[in-house]
């Protein structure tokens, strides 16, 4: 599946963080978004490890977005949140195994690979700036 809860929570958290003028803690985000704190903390630390977020320690610590929103792709976020390359179908080239044992050899494999390529391209091009701006402009 392309977007799991990890990706969804990462994007929702990034929206909250970008709107704040100070670092936002994982506990505050978890409460506001109704997300299990431990799961969200793992996601936020993965985003920090991939230089999407910056972690600030101390009493007024939390997370801020590192860099410009127009330089961070949705693909990067999904990759960080999921810990793997996003794939549309389990049997695309990105999967560890094909459920039928014929990876790349089935009748719909060429379609799936083309479709995955288009999705990858779209996610690489879609930035946080575009995602959080008027959604009607995303095409």
């Amino acid at each position: 599946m392309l977007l799991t809860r990890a990706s969804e929570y990462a994007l929702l958290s990034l929206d909250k963080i970008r709107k704040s003028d100070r670092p936002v803690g994982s506990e505050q985000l978890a409460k506001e978004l109704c997300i299990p704190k431990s799961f969200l903390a793992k996601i936020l630390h993965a985003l920090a490890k991939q230089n999407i977020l910056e972690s600030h320690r101390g009493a007024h610590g939390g997370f801020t977005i590192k860099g410009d929103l127009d330089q961070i792709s949705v693909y990067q976020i999904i990759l960080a949140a999921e810990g793997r390359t996003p794939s549309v179908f389990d049997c695309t080239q990105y999967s560890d195994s094909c459920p039928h044992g014929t990876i790349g050899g089935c009748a719909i494999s060429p379609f799936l690979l083309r479709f995955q390529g288009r999705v990858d391209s779209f996610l690489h091009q879609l930035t946080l700036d575009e995602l959080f701006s008027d959604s009607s402009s995303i095409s």
Side-chain angles (χ1 to χ4, degrees):
M1 177 178 286
L2 178 58
L3 297 176
T4 68
R5 285 191 177 138
S7 294
E8 178 186 353
Y9 294 166
L11 293 169
L12 289 171
S13 297
L14 287 166
D15 183 41
K16 291 281 190 185
I17 293 168
R18 78 176 175 96
K19 291 176 180 175
S20 179
D21 57 355
R22 62 176 203 239
V24 182
S26 58
E27 192 168 323
Q28 177 186 347
L29 282 170
K31 186 176 181 179
E32 288 180 20
L33 297 170
C34 299
I35 297 171
K37 182 184 170 192
S38 60
F39 186 42
L40 181 60
K42 181 179 175 183
I43 294 166
L44 296 174
H45 286 289
L47 293 173
K49 188 175 181 181
Q50 294 301 314
N51 292 316
I52 295 167
L53 291 177
E54 187 169 357
S55 178
H56 304 272
R57 297 182 185 259
H60 301 287
F63 294 91
T64 56
I65 295 177
K66 189 173 186 177
D68 297 325
L69 296 180
D70 64 349
Q71 298 299 308
I72 302 169
S73 74
V74 172
Y75 186 93
Q76 291 171 282
I77 295 160
I78 295 170
L79 181 61
E82 300 292 340
R84 61 180 174 84
T85 305
S87 62
V88 178
F89 300 99
D90 288 335
C91 56
T92 62
Q93 66 183 351
Y94 305 105
S95 179
D96 291 336
S97 64
C98 173
H100 303 291
T102 59
I103 196 161
C106 69
I108 61 170
S109 181
F111 160 75
L112 296 177
L113 294 176
R114 282 193 318 274
F115 185 69
Q116 183 68 55
R118 288 184 180 183
V119 169
D120 288 349
S121 179
F122 175 73
L123 294 174
H124 275 292
Q125 292 174 19
L126 181 62
T127 66
L128 280 182
D129 188 42
E130 293 172 312
L131 179 70
F132 295 132
S133 66
D134 179 15
S135 61
S136 64
S137 66
I138 299 174
S139 57

